[in-house]
Amino acid sequence: SWRRLHPAVRVVIVIVALAIVVNIALSLLDSSTRGADDTAPRSSSLSTGRDGLAAYAELLRRNDHATEAQRGDVTDAALSPVDTVVVLDPVGFDRDEERAVRRFVERGGRLVAGGVGATGLLAALLADPPAWSSAGVRNAEPVGGAAEVTGLDSVRTAGEGSWSEPGATTPILGDGSRVLATVATLGRGRVVALADPSPLQNRLLATADNAGFGLAAAGDGRTVVFAEGAHGYGEASGL
């Protein structure tokens, strides 16, 4: 994991992340991006635009994570508790999907959820979820000793949101007055709640320790499933 890497190795990872972002900007990603483009929705792993996650998906693949762009509704059959599910800036997520994600986490799954659109999902999972605010955290530093931030110095954002109140979750990134990310245990699983997904987006992944945070948030060796149905992608077709 990131926290056990030698500093020189961590520098190499950031350099690799920068190279990935440059490649995406030039539209030169290979077929492993599976049709990524710059018109896909915000925080979609299929988007090579500034606010997409194609670079994050590629970074994960280059660091021994399998990835999947899961289209259509999130169901029990589509989720395995040994995986990590990413739900960032969702625009459509119904009650059945929320219940499926809750069961997934309770059985041992890891969830990375965030953006204002994820507040409903977090409320369905957590008895006392964090409260979202439009006030941003430009530069966040680790708070406490959670595994997701061990060894990190700072995470840079576009200043597009924060948690005004952490609820019953534990802050792990903040600037002293506002919280960027929190974590919570649910059953046998783990929830990483990111108020502002921009650190993992193509435009900022290669800055500060953003890449390292992205790897740590995904968990060790897990397949990472991006919930693309939450961005409007159906099972048989595109948007």
Side-chain angles (χ1 to χ4, degrees):
S1 69
W2 179 263
R3 61 189 178 276
R4 293 194 294 268
L5 294 178
H6 188 278
V9 177
R10 286 157 52 189
V11 169
V12 171
I13 290 176
V14 172
I15 291 173
V16 169
L18 179 58
I20 292 169
V21 172
V22 171
N23 285 342
I24 285 177
L26 296 175
S27 300
L28 294 176
L29 281 175
D30 64 24
S31 60
S32 64
T33 59
R34 292 181 288 280
D37 67 76
D38 61 4
T39 62
R42 178 184 176 88
S43 293
S44 166
S45 67
L46 301 175
S47 175
T48 58
R50 284 173 47 79
D51 58 7
L53 297 182
Y56 180 38
E58 182 70 3
L59 178 70
L60 290 166
R61 287 190 287 271
R62 295 193 184 193
N63 284 274
D64 301 321
H65 291 272
T67 68
E68 177 186 347
Q70 199 268 325
R71 297 168 182 252
D73 290 346
V74 172
T75 64
D76 290 319
L79 302 175
S80 169
V82 298
D83 294 344
T84 294
V85 171
V86 176
V87 184
L88 296 176
D89 288 321
V91 295
F93 218 76
D94 64 30
R95 294 293 178 86
D96 288 340
E97 291 180 289
E98 290 172 352
R99 287 190 283 266
V101 172
R102 181 183 178 90
R103 289 188 289 267
F104 156 76
V105 177
E106 289 176 333
R107 296 196 303 265
R110 173 176 280 260
L111 172 69
V112 179
V116 64
T119 54
L121 172 60
L122 292 171
L125 267 62
L126 305 172
D128 188 9
W132 192 84
S133 167
S134 60
V137 179
R138 286 287 181 177
N139 291 287
E141 296 181 353
V143 178
E148 289 83 1
V149 295
T150 300
L152 304 185
D153 291 323
S154 66
V155 170
R156 189 170 304 161
T157 85
E160 296 176 348
S162 65
W163 299 124
S164 58
E165 296 291 341
T169 65
T170 302
I172 60 171
L173 284 170
D175 65 359
S177 59
R178 299 187 182 95
V179 176
L180 173 64
T182 68
V183 293
T185 297
L186 178 63
R188 295 193 295 272
R190 181 85 155 174
V191 176
V192 180
L194 185 60
D196 176 0
S198 65
L200 303 183
Q201 293 173 349
N202 301 331
R203 53 179 165 164
L204 289 174
L205 184 67
T207 63
D209 288 328
N210 295 12
F213 172 66
L215 292 174
D220 291 342
R222 287 173 174 254
T223 294
V224 179
V225 179
F226 291 88
E228 294 300 340
H231 296 127
Y233 286 94
E235 292 183 5
S237 61
L239 286 170

